[in-house]
Structure formats: C-alpha cells, structure tokens
Amino acid sequence: MTQAAHVLIVDDNRTSRMVAAKALRQLGCTSAEVGSGEEALELLKRASFDLVLLDIEMPGMDGIEVLRQLRASGQRLAAPVLVISGHGGNTDVVVSAIELGATDFLSKPFDPTLFRARVMSSIENKRLRDAELDNLKQIDRLSEAAMIMESGRFHPASLYLDSVAARPDAIGRLASVFMEMAHQVYDRELSMQRNIRTLNGAGLLLLQGVLWGLIVPLSILIYRENTMTLGVTFWSNMVAGVLCCAWAVGSGKSLRVSFQEFTFLLIWAAVFGLSSIVLFEAAGHVSGIVMSIILALQGFAVFTIAAAMRIEAPSLRRFAGLGVGLIGVLALLLVREQVTGVDDWMWLLIAMLVPILYGAIDILLAVKHPPTLDTIVSSGLVLVLSALLVLPLALVQGHAFLLGASLSVSDLLVALTGVCVGFCTVLYIRLIALAGAVFASQCAYAITVAGIAWSVLLLNEALSLWTGVALLLIISGLALVGPKREAGNVEVEFRRKARSMPVPSPAE
Amino acid sequence: MIDPRALERLMETLGGDPADLADIIESFLEEGPTLLASMQQAMAAGDGGMLKRAAHSLKSNARDLGAEKLASMCQAVESGIKQGDDGQEHVAAVAAILVEWEGVAPALVGEMKRLGRSA
C-alpha cells in the first residue's frame, strides 16, 4: 500500500473503539473514531475514508439506519463499510446491512485472521475501484475532447488533454496520439483557412483597385469641366453616402449609432473629407498616371504605422515586399518625371497627402471600427458626415453648386465618382476585416495599376516600357507582404470524412 | 473467571504488544462500573431499552476479555428484553451480574499486573 489507509470507527462503546483502533494501527492504518451514527454521517460528509467499521447495535441511530441514510444521500459509494455484529448476532440484520450496501461483516470478538483479511481486502478493493473510476474519468475527458472536435470549431489547447497525455499508462498513450492527430488536423485546417482568406482577400483587393483606380481619371475629367473642388467633394461624398444609407435601410439595417460610434465616425469623416478635397484639387495639377503611382505610397504609410503600433507582426519578408513595391513606385516616378504630367513639384508633395491620409484611415478602421457597427451603415454615415463637413467650406469659397441643375457631363461624372466612392468604402472595410490593414493597404498597388490603365484608356495618357517593368515590381511586392498573420488561438473547423463501407462481394 | 485463550486472541488482534492489551483492560475496568450503574439506574426507572443497551455493551467487552460467564449473563438479560419491557423480571439477573463483576474485576487487575501494569 502506498499511503496509510484511513479508517472511520463507529461504535458507542469506548473500549470497543479502542480495540478496533489498536487492531487497525497494527495493520498500518490510521483511524478516526466517533461514538454515534449521527456523528458518523456528519464526519463522512466532510472527510473521506478508505473504510468504515460500523457497529450495528448503537443507541439512537443504529448501523442499519446509518447505511440507509448513506444510501439515500449517495455517499455510500465513497468508502466500503464493514458492519460489526455481536457474537452470534442476528443473521437477518447482517443480511439487511449487506443489502443496504455494506461490503461484509465482522463479528465480535474479532478473529485476528478474519479481521486482517476483511479489512485489507476491503481497502484493496476500494483502491482498485478508485483507480478504475480515475481511468473512467480520463476516458471521459478523451471522449469529451473527441466531441469538441466533432462538434466543429476547436483549438488543440481547448481539448484539455495535456494532463491525460502525461500519464504513463495506456490511456496516456491514447491521449497523446489523439493530441498529435488533433494538432495535425489543426495545422492542416489553419493553412487551408489562410489560403481561402488570401484568395478572397485578393479578389476583393482587385475589385477595389479597379473601382478606386477609376476615381483618379474621373476626378481629372471632372476638374477639366468644373474647378469648384469643394463642391465636387461635397457632392461625390454625398451621393456615395446617400447611396450606402439607402442600401443599408433597404436591407433592413438601422442607421442609429451610439455616441461613441458617432465620435469614431466623425474622426473618420474628417480625415476622409480632407483626403477627398486634396484628391480632387491635385487632379487639376498631376496626371492620372502620376496620381495613381502616388497612391501606392499608402502601403508604405500603413505598414509603417502598423509596425510602429505593433498591430501586425512586421517580418523581414513583409519589409522586403514593401521595399520591392516602393522601388517600383520610385522607378515609375523617375521615368515619368522625364516626361510630362506634373506642372509643379509642390503639387506632387500635396498629392502625397492622399495616400498618407488613406493610411491613417486604414489603421483607424483596423483598430477602432466597432465590430457591432454594420459596414454599409458606417460607410453611409461616414460619407454623409464628410460631405456635411466640407459643405461650409464650399459655401465660404463659393464652390457650392446644385448637382443636376444643368445636366452637364461634369455633373454626371461627379455622380459616377460618388457611386464608385460608395462601393469602394464598403468593400474596403470588408477587406480590412478579412485580411488586416497591411494587406488591405496593398490595394493601393492595385489602385495604381488600375489607375494607370484607366488613365491610358480614358485620358489617352502614354504608358512606357519602364512603367510596365515598374508595375511588375509593385505586384511582386504585394505578393511578399501577404495578408495578416493571426496571433494564434485561432479555432479551426474539423470536418469528418464520410467513409463508405466496402461491400464484400459474395464470391469471397 | 477469565479465559486465557480469549486474551491471547485479543492480544494477537492488537498486534502482540502487552501494553495495548493492558490499555484495553484498563479501559474496561473504567467503563464497567459505569455500565453496571446504568443497569441499576435502568432497573430503578423501569427502562428496558436502557438495560438492554448496557447489557449489550458489557457483554461485548466481557467477551473480548474472556470473562465468558459475565458475558453470557449479560447476553441472557439482553436477549430477554423485548420491545416495551420494563426489565423488572431481570432484577435477580442484574444482581447476579454485579456479584460476577466483583470477581471479574480483580481477576482482570491481576492480568494487568501480569502484563506489567500496576492497577
């Protein structure tokens, strides 16, 4: 026996308790003594014993009643009970004691050999049963872990099998094999999830690039017709905002937001309004291709801010990707600057404000966008808010005009820009939620490529061979940065394979 | 008066240490008079249940220690009492038990001395 067995002696007679205690000590057991059935029940509630020696005949609550109450309370299973009957005692009483859950009986005076045999075997059985119960508990945990896996989403740490797997027995081996397999499934599913995320992210990103890239040549076309940029900013954002709000209301969403959410939207609207003004103003002074190229700086801005704020993990590979992308942008600028496109270097610097402001919005959205706020609702509200913020400036500067009053080409272009801006804003929030701010900022590259393509198509700007080479560099940079890496603790889905049983052929 | 085989058996149950056996005898010599007193009390009060319990206890200890005659006398009283009895028909038996105790007690004291314990 590893640890001394602890026995409870229940007998109203002091001398009898003393005999039992000394006899048990002789067998290497420790003991506690109580003089009545009531005390025994009380003590059994608080302490655990390996065996109970229970005198049947006691004044007040007798041994039979103790057994009956133990049985009723469910404590009976906790320790084996040996009932003690007087010499030549009533056999019926012993039988009913055993029927009530007693393990065996001892008659007084004790026969030394029988006493030793019954006490030791009762304790041995109890320990074996405890070990079995423990095994069953471990098996329960294993099957719970299996149920967690089967029920769907899981993380290996949430299976809580480490302590089971550490056991040196067969159950421990089973648990460690199970854990190993759970880890393999987890790793496989995680990489699959990442691939799907990358694919979805890339799709959204290209769509975003194509649409947002269109805004650059559109704003240049607008500037050719209408130089009231503050009015243009107001209308394009208002059209976009009203469109998104209508979309939100149409799909049954409420435009109601909390004060905290409103504050967040107001900050976002202010930054976005400013970026819109700069974009529409710069459109008058920088060519479509150059503007598109400048927008690619957004990736650099976001990655730098994100790395500084430790929002996403900076890695050598991601820095390299960014570097390659930037080299592409610089090459494009060098090639373009020898030709036409910029009438003033000041405007080039002002235009660079746009990607920096976009970068700030990226981070703001990634860190602060309330998850409860619907993306279409927040897009709609932020666009309307940014339009309203620009309105007083437009009025003061005399840039206010009524959209649609003259049905001019420029009005049509402003409305079209608004539609693009609305779509892009919704898409962009979704992209950040899906792939993270750094990856989302890579849409700047897609915007650049698309912007150049649109500029060639719509503005008849020329695309040189060098421009093409530089674009290739930008795209490889995008691939290197990749989508955001999770911080761990991501659950994966466990899918069971449907197995078909082979049907044995009758010939075999 | 005292069956030496019973004492040997008890000694073996206790693990063979004479001091332990002496402890048990000492305890019985202390508890015995209390049990006898409660038997007399039960007779006076006409409480059959109390008489039965005291007789049972005394019987049990007496048998452990080899006082076989005392044990048998107590057992006769114990099993003679039915539910609701006032125990009055056992007056003579209880008196005989008291007399028997007067013989058993000094014999047990002698055993204690033999085991190396002064009374």
Side-chain angles (χ1 to χ4, degrees):
Chain A
M1 246 182 267
T2 47
Q3 201 192 341
H6 195 43
V7 183
L8 176 63
I9 300 164
V10 190
D11 200 317
D12 60 308
N13 185 288
R14 190 190 74 186
T15 306
S16 297
R17 290 200 301 268
M18 193 187 267
V19 170
K22 284 177 182 293
L24 285 167
R25 194 189 61 198
Q26 202 261 122
L27 297 179
C29 305
T30 57
S31 61
E33 300 170 25
V34 290
S36 71
E38 290 88 345
E39 287 172 274
L41 287 178
E42 192 49 43
L43 190 56
L44 282 168
K45 274 183 210 155
R46 290 185 282 114
S48 75
F49 294 92
D50 295 303
L51 175 66
V52 179
L53 289 188
L54 178 65
D55 187 21
I56 289 185
E57 284 176 71
M58 287 186 288
M61 186 187 289
D62 66 5
I64 295 294
E65 186 54 30
V66 170
L67 284 169
R68 204 168 274 136
Q69 298 223 7
L70 280 178
R71 190 189 191 116
S73 69
Q75 288 174 5
R76 189 174 55 99
L77 281 172
V81 177
L82 281 177
V83 288
I84 295 166
S85 65
H87 171 73
N90 195 339
T91 320
D92 291 349
V93 180
V94 171
V95 168
S96 53
I98 287 172
E99 278 171 356
L100 282 168
T103 314
D104 208 336
F105 75 101
L106 284 166
S107 57
K108 276 197 286 196
F110 296 139
D111 175 89
T113 317
L114 259 181
F115 183 84
R116 164 188 283 271
R118 290 196 175 149
V119 165
M120 296 312 269
S121 81
S122 298
I123 291 170
E124 198 58 37
N125 281 340
K126 195 248 181 191
R127 299 209 155 167
L128 279 173
R129 204 188 56 197
D130 284 354
E132 273 169 22
L133 283 175
D134 184 52
N135 279 350
L136 284 177
K137 215 190 292 177
Q138 306 301 329
I139 288 170
D140 268 358
R141 284 172 69 176
L142 260 175
S143 62
E144 261 169 40
M147 267 164 63
I148 292 173
M149 265 184 84
E150 265 191 324
S151 70
R153 305 182 69 78
F154 78 99
H155 185 278
S158 69
L159 299 176
Y160 302 113
L161 282 181
D162 290 342
S163 64
V164 189
R167 286 164 65 104
D169 57 6
I171 295 173
R173 262 203 311 284
L174 191 60
S176 64
V177 169
F178 185 86
M179 277 291 272
E180 180 61 34
M181 287 169 74
H183 273 288
Q184 282 175 13
V185 169
Y186 178 78
D187 292 344
R188 196 181 63 216
E189 295 293 322
L190 196 64
S191 85
M192 209 187 300
Q193 265 184 22
R194 281 211 182 107
N195 289 342
I196 291 169
R197 202 196 292 266
T198 308
L199 265 176
N200 285 346
L204 271 180
L205 191 134
L206 287 176
L207 186 60
Q208 169 83 355
V210 168
L211 279 178
W212 201 263
L214 184 57
I215 294 169
V216 173
L218 280 179
S219 55
I220 290 172
L221 288 173
I222 292 168
Y223 197 86
R224 286 180 187 168
E225 307 282 329
N226 183 348
T227 54
M228 293 190 286
T229 47
L230 291 172
V232 168
T233 305
F234 168 78
W235 280 116
S236 79
N237 286 359
M238 189 49 92
V239 166
V242 169
L243 204 73
C244 289
C245 287
W247 184 0
V249 172
S251 45
K253 281 156 190 151
S254 162
L255 294 179
R256 199 180 280 265
V257 289
S258 68
F259 179 72
Q260 207 181 352
E261 288 167 335
F262 182 76
T263 319
F264 161 77
L265 291 174
L266 201 62
I267 297 169
W268 177 10
V271 182
F272 185 73
L274 185 60
S275 73
S276 308
I277 297 170
V278 178
L279 179 70
F280 285 117
E281 193 61 48
H285 308 275
V286 181
S287 78
I289 289 179
V290 173
M291 189 68 219
S292 302
I293 290 163
I294 286 171
L295 287 182
L297 289 174
Q298 184 189 352
F300 182 72
V302 172
F303 184 66
T304 312
I305 303 172
M309 291 175 68
R310 300 194 173 277
I311 298 164
E312 290 188 28
S315 68
L316 205 61
R317 185 188 133 124
R318 300 183 96 182
F319 270 118
L322 201 79
V324 172
L326 275 175
I327 291 168
V329 172
L330 288 173
L332 265 178
L333 277 173
L334 284 173
V335 173
R336 287 304 303 171
E337 281 324 298
Q338 289 162 2
V339 218
T340 52
V342 185
D343 51 357
D344 190 337
W345 275 98
M346 263 307 286
W347 278 111
L348 202 63
L349 290 177
I350 292 170
M352 283 184 184
L353 256 182
V354 178
I356 292 166
L357 291 171
Y358 284 173
I361 292 173
D362 277 357
I363 297 296
L364 185 69
L365 290 184
V367 179
K368 294 275 184 203
H369 192 280
T372 47
L373 201 54
D374 180 77
T375 52
I376 303 168
V377 171
S378 64
S379 304
L381 291 175
V382 91
L383 289 163
V384 170
L385 273 173
S386 73
L388 293 175
L389 287 172
V390 174
L391 185 59
L393 294 173
L395 288 170
V396 168
Q397 292 290 315
H399 281 192
F401 62 91
L402 196 62
L403 189 75
S406 57
L407 260 182
S408 64
V409 177
S410 96
D411 281 6
L412 209 65
L413 289 172
V414 169
L416 187 59
T417 308
V419 173
C420 280
V421 168
F423 268 111
C424 286
T425 311
V426 175
L427 279 180
Y428 198 60
I429 304 170
R430 296 218 165 143
L431 184 59
I432 288 181
L434 183 75
V438 171
F439 183 75
S441 70
Q442 302 307 300
C443 84
Y445 293 135
I447 293 170
T448 303
V449 176
I452 290 168
W454 285 121
S455 299
V456 171
L457 273 173
L458 299 175
L459 306 174
N460 289 320
E461 291 184 11
L463 182 74
S464 69
L465 175 71
W466 278 108
T467 318
V469 172
L471 284 179
L472 271 178
L473 278 172
I474 290 170
I475 291 165
S476 7
L478 163 74
L480 278 174
V481 172
K484 81 168 165 186
R485 294 269 179 268
E486 296 81 2
N489 295 329
V490 179
E491 292 185 329
V492 303
E493 201 93 35
F494 173 66
R495 291 182 301 268
R496 278 213 301 182
K497 270 186 193 154
R499 266 196 207 92
S500 56
M501 294 290 284
V503 182
S505 67
E508 282 169 357
Chain B
M1 190 114 318
I2 303 294
D3 180 1
R5 284 170 305 172
L7 285 179
E8 268 166 39
R9 182 178 58 191
L10 182 56
M11 179 100 113
E12 194 189 334
T13 304
L14 299 176
D17 187 347
D20 283 330
L21 183 56
D23 285 345
I24 303 292
I25 295 171
E26 195 175 19
S27 169
F28 179 56
L29 287 175
E30 273 169 28
E31 214 177 4
T34 317
L35 289 169
L36 291 169
S38 72
M39 283 171 100
Q40 285 171 301
Q41 236 178 351
M43 294 302 296
D47 185 341
M50 188 178 174
L51 178 61
K52 190 178 167 86
R53 280 197 301 276
H56 169 76
S57 258
L58 196 59
K59 170 204 77 179
S60 180
N61 295 152
R63 186 155 283 143
D64 270 349
L65 291 167
E68 195 49 50
K69 190 178 173 200
L70 180 62
S72 303
M73 291 163 83
C74 290
Q75 183 166 7
V77 171
E78 183 195 356
S79 50
I81 297 171
K82 302 281 171 292
Q83 190 85 38
D85 282 357
D86 60 5
Q88 296 309 309
E89 70 263 40
H90 301 289
V91 175
V94 170
I97 286 170
L98 283 168
V99 173
E100 178 67 13
W101 172 262
E102 293 309 320
V104 166
L108 285 174
V109 171
E111 288 295 336
M112 267 174 68
K113 283 194 177 134
R114 199 174 58 78
L115 292 165
R117 172 97 39 117
S118 57

